[in-house]
Amino acid sequence: VRDMVTVGALIFGVLVLGAGVLGRQIARERQLASRVDQALSQVEPKAKRIQDALRVSKLVASVLDHRRRLAAMLSGVFAATPQSVSLEGITFERSKREVVVRGNASSTQDVLDYVKQLEQVEGVHSVRLKYSTRRSSPSGERTDFEVVLEERKA
């Protein structure tokens, strides 16, 4: 019986010691988790500012890229415009990714030739003649037109 009490006391002592070690380990992990939470709370606002700055930077880069493509397209439109065609207006429809060109030419054939030239402009996906109307004036006959250029997707 005495040996059993001794063995029981030893087992109890080992269990108490194990529980103490386990408790100490849990306390260390909680302390470490607390430090990590504290570090994250300090880093989180900075990370959020960096993410916001990155988002803005990407947006600016996207807008600048679009403007570069648009500028190249407009340059091509002006270079492709023959002397027989006079431009009256250019409108940008950013949401539709379209450029609308209005003007007049000396003949309907000049308008059709101009449309073919615009199809070759860099950055243009398609060209659609919206309307073409013959008009008489004191200076002679002219053909008014409106052309829609759809931008090529990046």
Side-chain angles (χ1 to χ4, degrees), residues 62 65-66 69-70 73 91-100 123-126 148-154:
S62 169
D65 186 48
H66 178 260
R69 287 193 314 269
L70 186 60
M73 186 192 324
T91 308
F92 310 103
E93 295 286 339
R94 183 174 179 166
S95 61
K96 294 180 182 180
R97 303 182 64 85
E98 293 178 345
V99 175
V100 179
V124 174
H125 174 68
S126 66
V148 179
L149 291 86
E150 184 180 331
E151 287 183 70
R152 184 173 293 134
K153 293 185 180 173

Side-chain angles (χ1 to χ4, degrees), residues 21-102:
V21 169
L22 189 58
R24 178 110 170 112
Q25 183 66 25
I26 289 172
R28 283 184 186 164
E29 287 180 9
R30 282 188 181 166
Q31 188 178 29
L32 181 61
S34 174
R35 281 193 221 142
V36 168
D37 285 343
Q38 184 181 11
L40 282 175
S41 69
Q42 290 174 352
V43 170
E44 188 175 11
K46 293 176 187 176
K48 182 156 177 44
R49 283 195 303 269
I50 290 171
Q51 284 177 333
D52 290 344
L54 258 170
R55 195 173 307 116
V56 168
S57 174
K58 286 180 182 179
L59 178 65
V60 168
S62 169
V63 168
L64 288 177
D65 186 48
H66 178 260
R67 286 186 180 175
R68 284 186 197 103
R69 287 193 314 269
L70 186 60
M73 186 192 324
L74 288 175
S75 175
V77 167
F78 289 124
T81 304
Q83 293 237 319
S84 61
V85 173
S86 296
L87 300 181
E88 294 175 353
I90 296 178
T91 308
F92 310 103
E93 295 286 339
R94 183 174 179 166
S95 61
K96 294 180 182 180
R97 303 182 64 85
E98 293 178 345
V99 175
V100 179
V101 177
R102 281 181 302 286

